[in-house]
Amino acid sequence: MKISKILAGMSAAAIVASMAMIPASAAGTKLNASEDLAKIGRQTQDDLFAVFFNGDESEGAVNKGAIPDLGAVYGASFTIKVDNNDWNTIGGGGSINFNSKSGGWNAKDWAGGSWVEDDKPKDTLCYTTEEEGTYVLEYLGDAPVFATSDGDADNYAAVGINNWAADLKGIDVVGMKVLGADGNVLFEAGSNKDKKEVQKKPVAEESSSKTDSTASGTESKKDDSKKDDKSSAAATSSTAAGTTSSKAGTTTTTATSSAAASDNTAATGATAGLALAGVALAGAAIVISKRK
């Protein structure tokens, strides 16, 4: 009787411990759309903001007729404001999205701050501007992102921005542009800053590189720091990608690679939990053996 109670108690403790090791995936930091953008767009969830150019008006704002030919859309840009210290230490990432009847969910990944990796360029570029903490995220492809049929009355077409970074203080979306084949502006709202130059690496990394280059015999330290920065950025990217985004109503369900990341995390936690349970049961067996 006593032995069975010991086994039951140890097993219960192991199960509780294993459950505690499986974390829930966190959503990205909230996107705060400026007042003028909020009036013409939809925010179906905190980390996703979109402007519709066709669709069901009963579900929110639709800017019908704002772009006469949706087949002429080749890209878009969004201007965002962030805490620059967070941007260059924590980093951020997400996607510019083109959601339509013809193409479904079409996401173009972006990365900024410490998430930028020179050897892994994104389709969506991050540009610096004259104003500190203000950046332009821009995608411009070589093919239309919508079909001309998306202009039909029963179809929908939207341009949006998604954020995966969970640790930033906030991201303010203050402007957007919808772009034609040569980058010409088909639609503009809010206050898009003119792009200045591509931000190839975070400010913090540039500063450390300059400091190391002025000192003699520190080349190896610079190389090590860069490796550390890359590892840190990759780890941050892997963690922050744990978000699955979805759009309600007429829009399609969205799923980023973060879903796989969440599954892997859960699987790892479960494995660790089972291992802990094994240790607990082994301990119980020792107790039994001693009692004999």
Side-chain angles (χ1 to χ4, degrees):
M1 189 68 175
K2 289 182 179 179
I3 291 173
S4 64
K5 285 184 177 179
I6 292 172
L7 285 171
M10 297 295 277
S11 297
I15 291 170
V16 170
S18 66
M19 290 177 67
M21 291 182 182
I22 304 175
S25 61
T29 301
K30 184 176 181 180
L31 291 171
N32 303 303
S34 60
E35 187 176 347
D36 48 356
L37 288 181
K39 289 179 181 178
I40 64 168
R42 302 182 191 175
Q43 192 148 10
T44 54
Q45 60 192 56
D46 281 353
D47 55 358
L48 175 62
F49 172 78
V51 174
F52 279 72
F53 296 98
N54 218 16
D56 190 343
E57 292 177 316
S58 67
E59 297 180 2
V62 179
N63 303 277
K64 288 187 175 180
I67 302 176
D69 179 12
L70 289 174
V73 177
Y74 279 67
S77 69
F78 285 85
T79 300
I80 63 171
K81 290 187 176 184
V82 295
D83 179 287
N84 222 32
N85 183 61
D86 280 1
W87 187 252
N88 291 307
T89 54
I90 297 173
S95 59
I96 286 182
N97 314 305
F98 303 94
N99 196 9
S100 67
K101 182 77 171 181
S102 65
W105 184 262
N106 185 5
K108 306 299 182 182
D109 293 354
W110 63 267
S114 64
W115 279 26
V116 172
E117 296 181 77
D118 292 339
D119 57 342
K120 295 180 181 179
K122 302 291 185 184
D123 291 330
T124 296
L125 299 178
C126 174
Y127 296 100
T128 61
T129 69
E130 298 284 356
E131 186 178 345
E132 182 178 342
T134 300
Y135 299 88
V136 176
L137 309 173
E138 181 184 289
Y139 169 77
L140 183 61
D142 55 6
V145 294
F146 299 129
T148 53
S149 60
D150 289 327
D152 296 343
D154 295 334
N155 293 338
Y156 61 90
V159 178
I161 181 172
N162 200 184
N163 165 50
W164 300 334
D167 297 326
L168 292 174
K169 291 177 181 176
I171 296 179
D172 297 330
V173 184
V174 297
M176 72 167 293
K177 292 178 182 177
V178 179
L179 307 173
D182 58 357
N184 56 303
V185 178
L186 303 177
F187 175 86
E188 183 175 7
S191 57
N192 261 28
K193 294 287 184 180
D194 292 333
K195 58 181 180 280
K196 184 181 177 183
E197 59 184 6
V198 178
Q199 185 194 23
K200 293 183 178 179
K201 57 179 65 178
V203 175
E205 186 174 280
E206 289 178 346
S207 298
S208 64
S209 297
K210 290 176 182 178
T211 302
D212 290 339
S213 64
T214 56
S216 59
T218 58
E219 189 63 33
S220 61
K221 289 184 180 180
K222 184 174 77 172
D223 291 340
D224 289 341
S225 69
K226 284 190 176 181
K227 290 177 183 177
D228 291 341
D229 287 342
K230 294 287 184 185
S231 301
S232 174
T236 305
S237 177
S238 173
T239 303
T243 305
T244 301
S245 301
S246 62
K247 287 188 64 64
T250 55
T251 56
T252 56
T253 300
T254 70
T256 66
S257 58
S258 57
S262 296
D263 291 343
N264 291 338
T265 303
T268 304
T271 303
L274 290 173
L276 185 59
V279 173
L281 291 174
I286 293 171
V287 172
I288 295 168
S289 175
K290 286 185 177 180
R291 290 187 66 82
K292 287 181 178 181

